[in-house]
Amino acid sequence: PVRSLPVRGVRSLPVRVYGQIMLTALFGINLMIQIKSGFPPKADSLPAKRELLRDDNSIMKRILVVEVNWLGDCILTLPIFKALKDKVPSSHVGVMAPSRVLELFKNNPYIDELIEFDEKTTHKSLFSKIKFVSSLSEKKFDTVILIHRSFTRTFLCVLAGIKQRVGFKRIKTAFLVNRKVPLPELPLHRGDYYCLLAEGIGVPVKEKNPRFFLKKDEKLKAEEFIKVYRQRYKHLVAINPSCNWVLKMWPRRYFIELIEELTNIGAGVFLIGAKKDMSAAEEIVKKRNKSVINLCGKTSLRELAAILEKMDVLVSGDSGPAHLAASLEKKVLVLFGPTSPSITAPRGKRVYILKGHVDCEIPCYNSACDNNICMKMISPVEVFLKLKQILEDQK
């Protein structure tokens, strides 16, 4: 049920509506203050044709990038940070992201500051959002690149006084975004889609393959953990048995069959994933207990990355961990069903794709599909033979 508050003379309104009203009031107050202080600037003080970012990169001294919520998509945006630093080396670049993906941006040489904004937890209440705006305004960012299309996040950046707001041209944020990048024609790979926001303001993204940066101590810790398994097994294979959408999941019985074949060639199998994926991992462990190391739900994001770096290959559906392995330049075999590799495939030098061949239109977002035929069409034998080939390839 939606909580509501009584308003005299009208029907009760949901709490979220009060929040929107308060934020709108704050926006009005903020706008009045800026007008009194001389913003927006007079036309004759602006660069020719208002090409503030395209022709004068000195404007971009403190840049904030507002990220999306999903691990795989965040990884696809990593090339933007290097491009910003290449274009404006002296700039201060910050990233604003939810806590669950913020670790991804640590130790990145192209990022100077991490800012947590999590609307589902830390910043759920109106008061916490007001407090966040106050904190953000003190950081004096002059430019924000809005990768996340959220109205709320865009609004908060306005309230924080960030004068240059870069985003795609959309109706719901049209009056908040003042550096509008035209929406591209689709379909388009998600990585190219995000990079267009930088390229649309004159920041070329030359290298589209993302790169994840581990610390030395993180690598050493993973090496110590893996050492005993490296001595015991001929190959180390990581398997991600889950995805954020059930229709992208390969059947669990297929994973069980695959693991049996892998153990026959001397491979050690590591199950990985988040806490929400533990049930899938536990079902597999029950069937193949002696030959599986279950790490599902037992690692942080950065610990998982360090362990993946020590693996010979990762097998996964279209998921965040697949993008993570690719950003570490590891071999990764991705199983595609309802989603399209041309749109969401991980980017990396050693990414391999297996796809179920069906007559359905792809991408398919039919959540009512009851047979998952596109994933079932990829057989355990086909995956094993491809894995064997990958493991034997020394590249």
Side-chain angles (χ1 to χ4, degrees):
V2 177
R3 289 189 302 136
S4 61
L5 296 175
V7 179
R8 183 173 297 180
V10 298
R11 295 168 60 185
S12 295
L13 298 175
V15 171
R16 65 175 179 272
V17 174
Y18 281 94
Q20 290 169 355
I21 292 171
M22 289 297 293
L23 282 174
T24 304
L26 284 171
F27 173 69
I29 294 169
N30 176 271
L31 185 61
M32 290 173 64
I33 292 171
Q34 291 191 54
I35 290 172
K36 285 187 176 181
S37 63
F39 179 82
K42 295 179 181 178
D44 58 7
S45 70
L46 297 175
K49 298 183 181 180
R50 294 180 59 83
E51 295 294 331
L52 293 173
L53 302 182
R54 200 181 295 277
D55 297 331
D56 184 7
N57 286 309
S58 64
I59 291 287
M60 298 195 297
K61 294 179 180 178
R62 294 183 62 83
I63 308 166
L64 177 65
V65 178
V66 176
E67 277 290 352
V68 287
N69 297 338
W70 315 283
L71 176 60
D73 286 61
C74 283
I75 291 171
L76 289 173
T77 70
L78 290 176
I80 292 175
F81 296 95
K82 183 179 186 302
L84 288 169
K85 282 292 191 178
D86 287 346
K87 186 70 174 179
V88 192
S90 62
S91 63
H92 177 93
V93 177
V95 59
M96 172 177 150
S99 56
R100 62 182 174 277
V101 295
L102 202 61
E103 280 191 332
L104 172 70
F105 304 99
K106 288 182 179 178
N107 201 46
N108 189 312
Y110 311 112
I111 298 174
D112 302 296
E113 184 176 5
L114 305 180
I115 300 170
E116 179 187 341
F117 179 79
D118 201 322
E119 205 168 3
K120 291 186 177 181
T121 56
T122 315
H123 304 96
K124 192 173 183 179
S125 69
L126 176 61
F127 176 76
S128 62
K129 287 184 177 71
I130 294 171
K131 190 176 179 181
F132 178 82
V133 167
S134 176
S135 172
L136 187 60
S137 65
E138 291 174 0
K139 297 180 183 295
K140 306 296 182 184
F141 286 106
D142 53 64
T143 303
V144 58
I145 298 176
L146 295 151
I147 296 177
H148 201 303
R149 61 184 182 182
S150 159
F151 177 88
T152 300
R153 287 165 175 77
T154 307
F155 202 2
L156 295 179
C157 289
V158 174
L159 294 175
I162 304 177
K163 294 185 179 181
Q164 302 301 320
R165 300 176 295 278
V166 181
F168 282 120
K169 189 175 182 179
R170 291 191 178 91
I171 293 175
K172 73 173 184 177
T173 54
F175 72 103
L176 300 176
V177 172
N178 56 13
R179 299 301 301 168
K180 299 179 182 68
V181 177
L183 280 165
E185 290 187 13
L186 300 176
L188 182 69
H189 192 278
R190 200 71 54 80
D192 293 329
Y193 177 81
Y194 293 136
C195 287
L196 278 175
L197 282 171
E199 293 170 338
I201 57 170
V203 179
V205 184
K206 298 174 183 178
E207 176 53 61
K208 297 290 181 70
N209 287 349
R211 189 178 171 194
F212 185 90
F213 297 91
L214 285 164
K215 296 178 182 178
K216 185 177 180 180
D217 63 318
E218 292 170 333
K219 293 182 178 183
L220 289 173
K221 183 179 177 182
E223 181 62 42
E224 188 63 28
F225 172 74
I226 290 295
K227 185 165 57 178
V228 63
Y229 299 109
R230 180 61 71 185
Q231 294 170 351
R232 186 183 304 170
Y233 298 109
K234 183 180 178 181
H235 307 291
L236 300 182
V237 179
I239 288 180
N240 174 28
S242 191
C243 285
N244 62 354
W245 184 31
V246 66
L247 292 182
K248 294 197 292 182
M249 294 182 188
W250 204 42
R252 292 175 192 176
R253 67 179 186 276
Y254 284 15
F255 278 117
I256 293 167
E257 290 180 37
L258 174 64
I259 291 169
E260 184 172 353
E261 294 294 338
L262 287 170
T263 54
N264 288 339
I265 62 169
V269 176
F270 296 74
L271 296 181
I272 60 122
K275 288 183 179 179
K276 63 180 178 60
D277 308 318
M278 289 178 69
S279 61
E282 287 168 359
E283 183 178 330
I284 294 169
V285 169
K286 285 179 183 178
K287 301 286 185 180
R288 299 293 312 172
N289 187 42
K290 292 182 180 179
S291 56
V292 174
I293 300 95
N294 186 9
L295 300 179
C296 197
K298 299 176 182 178
T299 62
S300 68
L301 175 59
R302 297 194 68 85
E303 287 170 340
L304 173 60
I307 288 170
L308 286 176
E309 193 192 40
K310 304 301 177 185
M311 296 288 111
D312 296 321
V313 65
L314 167 69
V315 185
S316 174
D318 178 16
S319 66
H323 288 270
L324 186 59
S327 70
L328 292 160
E329 298 187 337
K330 300 302 296 183
K331 294 177 181 179
V332 53
L333 176 59
V334 192
L335 312 180
F336 271 87
T339 52
S340 171
S342 64
I343 299 175
T344 58
R347 283 188 154 166
K349 296 177 180 178
R350 301 198 287 178
V351 175
Y352 304 84
I353 303 292
L354 279 181
K355 183 169 176 53
H357 297 287
V358 292
D359 294 331
C360 306
E361 183 179 349
I362 301 297
C364 169
Y365 302 108
N366 178 17
S367 58
C369 177
D370 59 359
N371 59 25
N372 202 24
I373 188 64
C374 53
M375 292 302 289
K376 290 176 181 176
M377 288 292 289
I378 308 171
S379 73
V381 172
E382 184 182 4
V383 175
F384 172 69
L385 291 175
K386 185 65 178 179
L387 271 178
K388 195 175 178 183
Q389 177 188 336
I390 292 169
L391 290 167
E392 290 171 355
D393 187 352
Q394 297 301 313
K395 293 181 182 180

